Amino acid sequence: SSDRKARAKSPVFMTFDDIGGQERAKRELKEALDFIIRHEDIKKLGIRPLKGILLTGPPGTGKTLMAKAAAHYTNSVFMAASGSEFVEMYVGVGASRIRDLFKEARARAVKENKESAIVFIDEIDVIGGKREGGQQREYDQTLNQLLTEMDGIHTTESPRVLIMAATNRKEMLDSALLRPGRFDRHIEVDLPDKKGRLHILKIHAKNKPIAEDVDLEAVAKETFQFSGAQLESVMNEAAIYAMREQSETIKARHLSLAVDKVMLGEKTDRESTK
Ligand code: ATP
């Protein structure tokens, strides 16, 4: 799809420093990635290659950012797709799209002179959901193709391929995906705690004119259970309130209106889906 191509082409300049909070998740992910970078040692010790990393956690917590930062950290080509893109009317189309995705990742790595490629699949549960009662679905072939691609990855191969996937419904995944040699490394990306929220707010305040009366620590306290995406939204909405008032800086009042707006927006969203 053109959507996927657009995303694949957008430059990846995301580093772990651009991700607020998530200290444990970042550490675990880096540890896993170090295995990929130190592949000579891994080979010597006969360690099974790491093929798949699954990121789990609520929406908007930074799973996509993590995958992009992983690509930067390992100097890999980054290719992204979403599980929902593979749900097709015609049998076989999803499977050939998966095949193309991996082919393109390898081709790009060669072309860009990189030793590795990361293929990121968001909403993996859409194609990798549990298969119950032997029921056949049109996208089973897609899942089978993904498993085939994973099984075909070798440590000695160049470029090396790593698959990262994200879901907020881990319990829905088919056990075939979770077997050793597939997505056998799981990293939880939770809602940020207060310290994490402050860090995220600071990241998104960086390029904004913040007034002297603003206490980001107080905002972090007020935004209990907000995701990173919601905190980004708070900073953006606050800037819009400031603009409406033709204020040159973002003041505490704008931020507090923005917090209410994002909190209320979420509530009405939830109510309307009931
Ligand atoms: P989903 O499950 O809905 O796909 P996700 O976990 O992949 O969500 P991202 O797409 O990574 O979430 O995050 C969405 C946006 O929210 C980011 O582009 C960023 O602006 C902001 N954001 C989320 N988490 C963080 C974070 N930890 N630090 C800084 N910004 C964040």
Side-chain angles (χ1 to χ4, degrees):
S1 74
S2 60
D3 182 36
R4 193 176 91 212
K5 288 211 177 95
R7 250 185 294 153
K9 271 184 193 147
S10 75
V12 185
F13 292 131
M14 184 57 57
T15 72
F16 283 115
D17 290 338
D18 300 317
I19 303 173
Q22 308 298 355
E23 298 308 328
R24 185 190 39 76
K26 283 196 270 188
R27 193 180 54 243
E28 285 178 10
L29 180 54
K30 278 192 213 166
E31 269 166 21
L33 295 171
D34 287 338
F35 266 79
I36 297 185
I37 296 168
R38 298 176 53 202
H39 66 288
E40 289 305 326
D41 300 340
I42 300 298
K43 251 191 277 177
K44 263 186 246 154
L45 291 166
I47 295 172
R48 179 159 45 74
L50 177 63
K51 294 181 180 180
I53 299 177
L54 182 68
L55 305 173
T56 63
T61 46
K63 296 184 287 299
T64 304
L65 302 183
M66 291 273 186
K68 286 187 175 174
H72 184 267
Y73 186 75
T74 54
N75 191 27
S76 302
V77 154
F78 182 72
M79 293 279 301
S82 173
S84 50
E85 290 171 35
F86 295 98
V87 180
E88 286 290 334
M89 273 197 285
Y90 301 103
V91 172
V93 177
S96 76
R97 273 197 192 164
I98 289 276
R99 210 174 301 126
D100 290 348
L101 186 66
F102 283 85
K103 224 161 107 187
E104 206 179 323
R106 288 190 172 90
R108 268 191 54 205
V110 169
K111 198 171 144 211
E112 294 174 29
N113 227 341
K114 303 230 163 137
E115 283 177 21
S116 49
I118 290 183
V119 175
F120 174 62
I121 304 176
D122 202 0
E123 296 181 79
I124 185 80
D125 46 282
V126 176
I127 51 171
K130 278 193 182 115
R131 299 185 262 200
E132 273 156 12
Q135 224 178 1
Q136 279 291 314
R137 298 167 318 203
E138 73 280 10
Y139 40 94
D140 272 358
Q141 288 198 8
T142 311
L143 176 56
N144 285 338
Q145 187 59 40
L146 178 63
L147 298 176
T148 302
E149 295 290 348
M150 292 195 89
D151 294 345
I153 294 173
H154 301 287
T155 12
T156 48
E157 133 187 271
S158 175
R160 289 187 309 282
V161 178
L162 172 71
I163 311 183
M164 292 185 70
T167 182
N168 37 54
R169 298 186 298 172
K170 183 177 158 188
E171 67 291 346
M172 297 281 292
L173 291 183
D174 196 287
S175 59
L177 276 170
L178 306 174
R179 241 169 255 158
R182 301 217 176 122
F183 290 105
D184 51 5
R185 193 71 57 105
H186 300 179
I187 296 172
E188 247 184 80
V189 189
D190 272 330
L191 288 174
D193 59 10
K194 199 182 96 197
K195 203 171 147 222
R197 294 196 296 274
L198 178 61
H199 190 183
I200 296 169
L201 285 166
K202 280 183 178 162
I203 285 171
H204 291 287
K206 225 182 259 166
N207 302 315
K208 293 184 173 68
I210 307 291
E212 296 251 341
D213 73 338
V214 169
D215 177 4
L216 286 182
E217 192 122 20
V219 180
K221 212 182 247 173
E222 255 175 77
T223 45
F224 178 64
Q225 291 207 325
F226 275 43
S227 68
Q230 286 173 308
L231 294 167
E232 188 275 337
S233 194
V234 164
M235 291 306 307
N236 192 58
E237 291 294 337
I240 292 171
Y241 279 119
M243 190 181 75
R244 265 193 216 142
E245 285 184 9
Q246 299 186 337
S247 165
E248 278 173 17
T249 55
I250 298 166
K251 298 186 174 129
R253 191 163 41 84
H254 302 136
L255 270 160
S256 128
L257 285 169
V259 169
D260 288 348
K261 178 162 188 210
V262 173
M263 207 181 288
L264 242 115
E266 290 302 309
K267 247 189 217 136
T268 38
D269 277 354
R270 231 174 286 152
E271 242 119 66
S272 64
T273 55
K274 265 185 196 160

